[in-house]
Amino acid sequence: DTGVSQDPRHKITKRGQNVTFRCDPISEHNRLYWYRQTLGQGPEFLTYFQNEAQLEKSRLLSDRFSAERPKGSFSTLEIQRTEQGDSAMYLCASSLADPGAGELFFGEGSRLTVL
Amino acid sequence: GESVGLHLPTLSVQEGDNSIINCAYSNSASDYFIWYKQESGKGPQFIIDIRSNMDKRQGQRVTVLLNKTVKHLSLQIAATQPGDSAVYFCAENIGFQKLVFGTGTRLLVSP
């Protein structure tokens, strides 16, 4: 499978715990995006990388959230001291940096439930 | 599987009918638009895109219309099938940096 893969697909945690999600983008894509989606809403932009550089972060990304893409390939999204409001689907997407190819390819998402 | 968008606007059609899903976008500077389909428990899947210098683009069974004057986008699905049942999102892109998604529409296709 050469699509975007995310792990884990589901995570249940207790409030206050830390969680980490991993995303492996399509191999030739140098842009990687993180989105959050809650029930009944469209995906909301969190942050994106071009290669290993994090170019933009949304105001939604509080200090408890950190994303990395150390070698310009896979990325991790860590949430520290989780809160119930963090419960959502975390979607990763990748794309080519070429402005003529704006399509984002999404993974299946990592669903987080904070109890 | 878990439902996406329990409180979304819903369009119910019969199999074989044509469906039209509408979207209003917010930024007149947006230069690229995409329609995505999202099935329950899955990530969004690309359907069709259109650039701001076009007003119509056709794919297989789908057509996207763009009206920049009123900032309106529509997705037409011909001969709708039960497999088309999903939530549909439009997304706008400014400068090919990131996509901003609109509120989705749930399409229910009855056999």
Side-chain angles (χ1 to χ4, degrees):
Chain A
D1 187 346
T2 57
V4 178
S5 62
Q6 293 188 244
D7 183 71
R9 292 293 312 280
H10 303 275
K11 178 72 177 178
I12 299 174
T13 191
K14 293 182 179 178
R15 188 176 52 187
Q17 298 295 304
N18 299 343
V19 296
T20 299
F21 300 115
R22 176 181 169 123
C23 172
D24 287 89
I26 294 171
S27 59
E28 63 268 28
H29 286 180
N30 45 19
R31 284 198 181 169
L32 185 147
Y33 300 78
W34 286 100
Y35 282 79
R36 180 174 70 186
Q37 186 175 31
T38 54
L39 207 59
Q41 303 295 322
E44 297 173 293
F45 171 79
L46 292 178
T47 188
Y48 90 96
F49 294 83
Q50 181 154 324
N51 300 313
E52 65 276 9
Q54 189 172 17
L55 297 186
E56 186 173 346
K57 292 194 295 185
S58 163
R59 290 176 299 172
L60 294 174
L61 216 63
S62 76
D63 291 345
R64 298 184 296 105
F65 288 70
S66 62
E68 295 182 343
R69 194 183 183 197
K71 298 181 180 179
S73 56
F74 74 91
S75 175
T76 57
L77 177 68
E78 181 183 17
I79 309 173
Q80 296 182 325
R81 306 181 302 282
T82 52
E83 301 172 356
Q84 288 185 326
D86 297 331
S87 295
M89 175 78 86
Y90 290 86
L91 292 163
C92 177
S94 68
S95 74
L96 296 169
D98 180 352
E103 178 189 347
L104 270 61
F105 294 82
F106 282 85
E108 301 286 26
S110 293
R111 175 157 296 284
L112 174 65
T113 301
V114 182
L115 302 176
Chain B
E2 184 173 342
S3 296
V4 173
L6 292 176
H7 305 291
L8 291 171
T10 299
L11 174 65
S12 297
V13 300
Q14 294 282 93
E15 182 178 1
D17 287 351
N18 296 333
S19 302
I20 300 176
I21 299 172
N22 296 304
C23 175
Y25 64 93
S26 58
N27 196 320
S28 57
S30 295
D31 46 21
Y32 180 65
F33 304 88
I34 305 180
W35 279 100
Y36 280 89
K37 172 186 180 183
Q38 188 172 27
E39 296 174 306
S40 183
K42 296 187 176 181
Q45 179 184 11
F46 172 86
I47 302 173
I48 191 168
D49 59 2
I50 188 167
R51 301 191 191 290
S52 59
N53 61 353
M54 304 169 67
D55 53 21
K56 180 179 180 179
R57 189 162 188 225
Q58 288 184 292
Q60 187 176 13
R61 283 201 308 118
V62 294
T63 300
V64 55
L65 299 178
L66 174 62
N67 185 331
K68 293 183 289 295
T69 302
V70 295
K71 293 190 285 187
H72 183 269
L73 200 64
S74 68
L75 176 69
Q76 300 177 0
I77 305 174
T80 314
Q81 303 168 0
D84 295 327
S85 294
V87 178
Y88 289 81
F89 293 99
C90 67
E92 58 186 303
N93 190 320
I94 307 171
F96 300 102
Q97 297 299 313
K98 67 185 186 218
L99 289 180
V100 176
F101 284 79
T103 304
T105 297
R106 176 184 299 282
L107 176 65
L108 294 175
V109 183
S110 305

